[in-house]
Amino acid sequence: MDMYGANVFNDYTMKRRLPPDTYTALRKTMQDGSKLDNSVAVVVAEAMKDWAIELGATHYTHWFQPMTGITAEKHESFFTPTADGRGSAKFSETALTQGEADASSFPSGGLRATFEARGYTAWDPTSYAFVRGNTLYIPTAFCSYSGEALDEKTPLLRSMQALNKEALRIMKLFGNDTKSVKPTVGAEQEYFLIDKAIFEKRKDLVYTGRTLFGAKPPKGQELDDQYFGAIKPRVRAYMKSLDEALWKIGVPVKTEHNETAPAQHELAPMFTTTNIATDHNQLIMEIMQSTAKEHGMICVLHEKPFGGINGSGKHNNWSLSTSEGTNLLDPGETPHENAQFLLFLLAVIKAVDEYQDLLRISTASAGNDHRLGAEEAPPAIISVFLGDELMAILDAIESDEPYARGGDAMMKIGVTVLPSFPKDTSDRNRTSPFAFTGNKFEFRMVGANMSIAKANIVLNTAVAESLRQFADTLEDEPDFNAALQALIKRTIREHKRIIFNGNGYDDAWTQEAKKRGLLNLPTTPDALPYMLHDKNVELFERHKVFTKNELCARLEIRLENYCSLLNIEAVTMYKLAKKDILSAAAAFTRELSETAAAKQKFLPEADCSYERDTILRLSELSAELHKKVSQLYSCLGFAEGKKDELTKAHYFKDAVLPKMEAMREIADELESMIARNHWPFPTYGDLLFSVR
Ligand code: ADP
Ligand code: MG
C-alpha cells in the first residue's frame, strides 16, 4: 500500500503539497479541461520540483508519444548556475507547461517542412506526472509549429473532447446534468518471455522481433497446459519486479497469468480514463522490456513472433463513465436507466458498423497481419458480439413483439424495465473482434506491440458521431419517449448486420459477412487507403480530431512503416539463408558424403541409404533455397523502384511476402534434417522452453 503511487504527483500528493486554491484550480482543469491559469502553473511547478527532488530526481523530461508507436523523452537537469558560482535547482512554469523538441527526427509524414524543424510539447495536466529513476516525467502532447498533431496523444485528447460534448447532449435529454462523460479503458497486454542468451542467437528476433524461420517443436500448445498454469519461479520473480516498478509510478496492475502459448503471459491493469490508460499501457510495455533484461530475459511484444504458435494481442476494454462514476454501458435498474443504456449501446453498434474500416485500420500493421484471422485472434472482419439474450431483447424491440423471457409485456422504452438478461459469461466468445461483456465492450484486434491510442481515437470519434446524430434527432422532440422508441427501433434495423454471435473463426462467417456487405480487409495495404475515404475525412474534420492534412500524413507514415518493416524482414531472411542456412546444409552434406565414402571403403556391403537419401534431399533443398534467395534479392530491387508508397506496400505484400514464406518452408525442412551441431541457431524448442 505504501508502494502504490509513491512516485506519482497524484491527487493525494497535490492536496498535501499545493495551496488549497491552487489545488482547486488544477483539479478543475483536470476534470473539465478548463484552461490552467499561468499563476497556478507557477505554484504547481515549484511544488512538483521540490517533491521530485525529495524523491531523488535531478532531471525532468517532457514525455511524449510520437508517431513511432513508442514514447520519447529528452532529459533536462533542474540545475541552474548562480551568479556566485554555485548552483540552484530551477523549474519554471514554462518548463512545466511547454517544451521544444527538435521534430526533424520523428516521423511527420510531411507535416513539418524541413525549414521548420521545431516541434512543441505541451503538458497534459489530466495525466499525472511521475518520477522514474532520477527523472521527473511530465506527460505531454507533441505538435508542430503550426499546431498539427505529431503524436498519438493530441488526437486522443481531441476525440475525448468530442465524445464528451456529444454525450453530454444526450445526458441532458435524459434530464441528467452530469459534468463530463469520459471513455474508460482497461487494456490487457499479452507478451512472451525468452531467455536473453538464447534470444540473442536468433538474429531474426533481434532485428525484426519475430522468427522468420523455425520448424515446429515436438511440443507446442497442444496440451493446453500453459494457460492459467502455475507460474514458473523465474517468471514469478519477474512479475514481482514488474508489479513493483509499475505500482510505484501509479499503474494499477492487477491481474497476471500464463497465456495459451508456451512462454506466453498476460498482464491486466484496472481500467481508467482513456488517455491515462494509454499512457499506462506505454509504460507497461516499456517497463516490461526493461525489467525482463534485469532478469536475463527478453520480453517479446511482436504480434506473431512464432509461426504455428499463438501470437500476442491487446484487449481494449472500453466503456463510458460520467463524472459521478456511473458506467453508461451498464443496463441499470430503472426504465429510465435502461433506455439511456440502450441508446448508448446502439451508439456504439452504429459507430462500429459505419466505421468498420477505421477500426480495422487502427489495428493494421505488418505484424498484426500475421495474427488476425489466424484462428487465434479475431478475423479481419469487424463484427459485434452481443450474446443471445441481449440480441433477443433488441429483436423484440425491433419487431414490437414481447421478449420471450420477459413475460407477455412489450418493451416500451423509458417506461418498462428491461428484463434482466444473463451476461454471456459461459460464452466469452473469444472469436469476436468486438464483444459486449456485460458492462463494456472489448475490442480484441489491437496488436500487442501497438499503442492503444489509434483504436481509441476511432472508437471515441465514431461514437461521438452516433451520439451527435441521436441528439440532433431527439432534441426539440415534444414526445421524448416516443421519439426515443422510434430512434432505437430504426437504429437496430439499420445496423444489426454488424451483430454476429456465432463463431468468427468459421469460414462460413466470411461468406455470411460478405452477404451482409461487411468489409473484409485482410492486410494492412488493403485497409490503409480507406483512411482517406470522404466519410472518414468528414468524420474526423467535423469532430476536430484530425484535419485532412493530418490524416494524409498519418497514412504516409504507416505505409512507409509497413514497407520498411517488410524490407528489414526480407533482408534479414536473405542474409540468414545465404550466410547461415545454406552453409550449414553444405557442411552437413560434406560430413555425410565423407562418412559414406569412408564406410564404403571400410565395409563395401554397409548400407549407406541414410547418407545417400539425405544428401540427395539436402542438395535439392539447397538448390531450391539458393534459387529463392536470388529471387528475393531481385524482388527487393523492384520494390525499391516503386514510385508511390501504396504501390510499394502492395508489392511487398503480393511479391515479397510469398517469396519469404516459400523460403521459410524450405529452410524449415532443412532444419528437420540437419544434425543439431550443424544447425546455426536455437530452435523453436530452445526458444519456447528457455525460461524455467
Ligand atoms: P476478463 O474476464 O476479460 O478478465 P475483467 O472484468 O477482469 O474481464 O476486465 C478485464 C479488463 O477490463 C480489466 O483491465 C478491467 O479493468 C477492464 N474493465 C472493467 N470494467 C471496465 C470499464 N467499465 N471500462 C473499461 N474497462 C473496464
Ligand atoms: Mg479479456
Side-chain angles (χ1 to χ4, degrees):
M1 296 307 116
D2 287 344
M3 193 183 287
Y4 185 75
N7 287 9
V8 185
F9 198 70
N10 51 22
D11 196 58
Y12 176 89
T13 308
M14 285 178 196
K15 228 182 244 157
R16 275 155 192 77
R17 296 270 181 167
L18 297 174
D21 50 338
T22 312
Y23 170 78
T24 312
L26 184 55
R27 264 324 288 173
K28 190 164 155 39
T29 296
M30 290 175 71
Q31 249 151 24
D32 55 26
S34 52
K35 211 175 147 7
L36 193 70
D37 208 62
N38 205 50
S39 60
V40 178
V42 172
V43 184
V44 176
E46 193 63 22
M48 212 188 260
K49 177 203 72 187
D50 291 342
W51 166 83
I53 287 175
E54 281 169 35
L55 287 171
T58 52
H59 289 66
Y60 68 91
T61 184
H62 275 202
W63 182 66
F64 58 102
Q65 299 166 26
M67 293 183 276
T68 51
I70 53 174
T71 57
E73 45 196 81
K74 179 178 111 193
H75 297 217
E76 300 271 356
S77 104
F78 289 121
F79 169 79
T80 315
T82 52
D84 62 359
R86 298 187 308 150
S88 75
K90 279 234 160 55
F91 185 51
S92 68
E93 81 284 5
T94 9
L96 167 65
T97 56
Q98 259 179 54
E100 207 181 300
D102 184 349
S104 57
S105 300
F106 295 107
S108 75
L111 280 181
R112 172 200 43 75
T114 33
F115 62 84
E116 185 43 89
R118 271 182 301 171
Y120 289 90
T121 51
W123 180 34
D124 167 15
T126 60
S127 184
Y128 295 137
F130 56 91
V131 171
R132 242 188 103 192
N134 66 349
T135 305
L136 167 66
Y137 282 73
I138 300 150
T140 59
F142 181 44
C143 298
S144 76
Y145 183 71
S146 43
E148 280 137 335
L150 292 176
D151 68 348
E152 305 284 10
K153 179 174 271 232
T154 308
L156 182 63
L157 291 170
R158 291 174 185 164
S159 74
M160 290 171 66
Q161 233 170 44
L163 183 55
N164 178 53
K165 178 177 152 209
E166 305 300 340
L168 285 181
R169 285 176 68 193
I170 298 288
M171 293 306 279
K172 202 166 155 205
L173 285 169
F174 281 92
N176 210 317
D177 62 351
T178 182
K179 282 192 201 58
S180 69
V181 172
K182 283 182 182 164
T184 50
V185 164
E188 304 162 65
Q189 175 76 45
E190 293 177 338
Y191 61 101
F192 280 88
L193 285 177
I194 309 293
D195 183 83
K196 187 161 176 278
I198 297 174
F199 176 95
E200 276 165 359
K201 293 196 188 118
R202 290 286 308 218
K203 293 303 170 207
D204 46 358
L205 275 174
V206 171
Y207 294 137
T208 73
R210 74 175 179 114
T211 53
L212 301 168
F213 301 105
K216 264 205 160 115
K219 176 177 169 9
Q221 59 197 48
E222 304 81 358
L223 298 180
D224 293 326
D225 53 354
Q226 162 81 355
Y227 189 64
F228 278 20
I231 300 172
K232 296 181 186 106
R234 191 166 167 202
V235 176
R236 203 183 305 214
Y238 164 76
M239 287 176 172
K240 181 171 187 285
S241 305
L242 180 62
D243 280 344
E244 287 176 6
L246 288 168
W247 284 337
K248 270 189 207 152
I249 56 172
V251 180
V253 288
K254 180 109 171 116
T255 313
E256 272 143 327
H257 58 79
N258 287 351
E259 255 303 324
T260 312
Q264 195 183 26
H265 309 279
E266 181 185 296
L267 174 148
M270 296 260 303
F271 71 93
T272 174
T273 315
T274 307
N275 65 317
I276 298 171
T278 305
D279 286 359
H280 283 176
N281 186 252
Q282 294 296 134
L283 288 167
I284 287 172
M285 289 196 283
E286 201 184 312
I287 295 177
M288 269 183 171
Q289 288 172 305
S290 57
T291 308
K293 288 201 181 120
E294 289 164 15
H295 287 252
M297 298 186 285
I298 298 289
C299 169
V300 177
L301 291 174
H302 193 282
E303 284 82 9
K304 188 75 180 176
F306 305 100
I309 304 274
N310 274 11
S312 301
K314 214 159 342 210
H315 288 175
N316 190 82
N317 294 274
W318 184 96
S319 192
L320 289 169
S321 174
T322 67
S323 39
E324 292 73 42
T326 306
N327 179 354
L328 295 177
L329 289 177
D330 204 347
E333 275 151 21
T334 65
H336 182 83
E337 286 168 340
N338 286 171
Q340 189 182 287
F341 158 73
L342 281 175
L343 197 62
F344 279 103
L345 182 85
L346 286 167
V348 180
I349 292 170
K350 174 177 156 76
V352 175
D353 187 22
E354 285 175 345
Y355 298 99
Q356 295 161 45
D357 46 358
L358 287 179
L359 282 168
R360 173 66 186 93
I361 289 171
S362 76
T363 65
S365 75
N368 218 17
D369 282 357
H370 297 292
R371 180 179 156 261
L372 297 178
E375 302 248 320
E376 56 175 272
I381 306 165
I382 307 266
S383 64
V384 177
F385 169 86
L386 285 186
D388 293 336
E389 297 297 336
L390 189 52
M391 190 65 232
I393 291 174
L394 294 194
D395 281 340
I397 295 173
E398 189 205 353
S399 58
D400 275 329
E401 291 192 3
Y403 168 60
R405 294 168 58 106
D408 288 338
M410 288 201 292
M411 268 167 290
K412 275 255 179 274
I413 303 293
V415 183
T416 39
V417 177
L418 278 185
S420 72
F421 55 92
K423 286 182 196 172
D424 272 83
T425 40
S426 55
D427 177 12
R428 300 303 302 268
N429 201 326
R430 297 256 146 211
T431 70
S432 173
F434 204 95
F436 183 67
T437 52
N439 60 2
K440 61 184 186 291
F441 279 98
E442 186 168 355
F443 185 32
R444 302 191 179 121
M445 282 171 87
V446 186
N449 218 351
M450 300 174 168
S451 160
I452 57 172
K454 287 188 184 68
N456 287 298
I457 291 167
V458 172
L459 254 175
N460 296 344
T461 315
V463 173
E465 175 58 17
S466 301
L467 296 173
R468 180 190 74 83
Q469 291 181 23
F470 288 175
D472 281 355
T473 307
L474 296 173
E475 278 166 1
D476 308 324
E477 275 292 339
D479 184 348
F480 177 67
N481 276 348
L484 185 62
Q485 177 105 12
L487 174 64
I488 284 180
K489 271 175 71 167
R490 176 159 60 84
T491 311
I492 298 172
R493 195 172 57 243
E494 284 171 2
H495 298 289
K496 72 176 186 188
R497 64 166 190 167
I498 196 76
I499 302 171
F500 176 61
N501 294 315
N503 178 4
Y505 295 171
D506 199 341
D507 280 341
W509 167 233
T510 314
Q511 300 310 317
E512 164 71 15
K514 197 169 169 187
K515 262 193 246 148
R516 294 191 192 183
L518 302 182
L519 284 172
N520 185 0
L521 303 169
T523 70
T524 302
D526 298 322
L528 285 180
Y530 282 76
M531 204 152 152
L532 293 181
H533 283 198
D534 287 346
K535 73 167 177 75
N536 296 335
V537 176
E538 268 164 35
L539 171 80
F540 285 126
E541 291 206 318
R542 178 192 293 275
H543 293 280
K544 301 194 167 47
V545 172
F546 288 121
T547 60
K548 183 159 187 192
N549 245 351
E550 287 173 328
L551 283 174
C552 292
R554 269 154 218 259
L555 175 60
E556 188 75 12
I557 290 171
R558 294 187 63 187
L559 285 169
E560 256 177 49
N561 193 277
Y562 178 85
C563 296
S564 311
L565 256 163
L566 276 166
N567 192 58
I568 294 171
E569 289 189 353
V571 172
T572 305
M573 204 158 191
Y574 169 83
K575 293 209 160 154
L576 290 179
K578 218 173 151 85
K579 290 176 93 95
D580 297 292
I581 298 175
L582 283 170
S583 61
F588 186 49
T589 306
R590 178 185 156 157
E591 188 176 299
L592 286 174
S593 311
E594 286 174 1
T595 309
K599 252 163 94 170
Q600 289 276 287
K601 200 168 159 203
F602 176 65
L603 197 66
E605 65 273 31
D607 186 335
C608 290
S609 56
Y610 161 64
E611 290 84 352
R612 200 189 51 237
D613 292 353
T614 311
I615 292 169
L616 221 71
R617 187 69 186 139
L618 283 176
S619 307
E620 279 168 10
L621 290 172
S622 300
E624 195 55 33
L625 184 58
H626 172 62
K627 197 166 92 198
K628 289 270 173 343
V629 168
S630 322
Q631 286 173 352
L632 181 69
Y633 190 75
S634 12
C635 266
L636 291 181
F638 283 128
E640 200 52 44
K642 303 281 173 213
K643 285 277 174 302
D644 73 292
E645 291 296 321
L646 183 60
T647 318
K648 198 165 161 183
H650 275 290
Y651 184 78
F652 267 109
K653 168 177 73 90
D654 297 328
V656 177
L657 209 49
K659 290 260 157 9
M660 290 167 59
E661 275 154 17
M663 272 172 72
R664 175 177 182 150
E665 209 169 298
I666 303 168
D668 289 358
E669 189 179 340
L670 283 170
E671 182 189 326
S672 68
M673 300 175 72
I674 294 177
R676 194 176 300 277
N677 61 328
H678 280 279
W679 190 249
F681 12 76
T683 63
Y684 265 30
D686 300 332
L687 287 163
L688 289 165
F689 299 93
S690 63
V691 173
R692 273 170 231 283

